[in-house]
Amino acid sequence: MLFDEEVKCLPVKLRKVFYALCAKYNFESGNMPVNEGIEGLLQELKDNGYALYIISNMGLNFHVFSIRMPLFSHFDGALVSCDCSVIKPDRRIFEKA
């Protein structure tokens, strides 16, 4: 996992929650809930001329996940931590965007 070192810094209780969420949302399968109405909102923003981009702390599986989730078709691009070796909230990832 990309953030193993960072996860090791979490208290044990939070670490367990983090790994449970990773197991629940199998990112490679595209098994992640989407809030009702979000696709309509994204399309409305696009229709009004907004460019939409993602800044994500996901690992390499983001690229597979984004192909499998129709939601991602609304975005114009993405900057993923695994591609630039910087994670949020480090300001450098926002400067790269």
Side-chain angles (χ1 to χ4, degrees):
M1 180 172 277
L2 177 66
F3 303 113
D4 275 338
E5 289 304 312
E6 290 82 358
V7 172
K8 288 177 187 174
C9 296
L10 293 173
V12 173
K13 188 174 181 179
L14 287 178
R15 207 176 316 153
K16 288 179 180 178
V17 170
F18 174 82
Y19 285 121
L21 287 172
C22 287
K24 180 178 180 182
Y25 300 118
N26 181 350
F27 296 122
E28 291 182 7
S29 72
N31 179 27
M32 189 168 193
V34 175
N35 292 338
E36 187 176 327
I38 193 69
E39 289 194 66
L41 173 62
L42 293 173
Q43 189 58 54
E44 184 177 335
L45 291 168
K46 294 291 291 178
D47 291 345
N48 283 291
Y50 289 93
L52 303 176
Y53 292 87
I54 298 170
I55 299 178
S56 174
N57 280 348
M58 281 184 72
L60 290 171
N61 53 1
F62 172 87
H63 300 292
V64 172
F65 181 71
S66 65
I67 292 169
R68 294 185 177 160
M69 289 282 297
L71 176 75
F72 287 92
S73 66
H74 296 280
F75 292 92
D76 298 295
L79 180 61
V80 187
S81 295
C82 64
D83 295 332
C84 64
S85 302
V86 181
I87 62 172
K88 297 181 293 184
D90 190 317
R91 68 180 182 147
R92 292 175 296 164
I93 197 167
F94 299 100
E95 291 168 351
K96 289 178 182 273

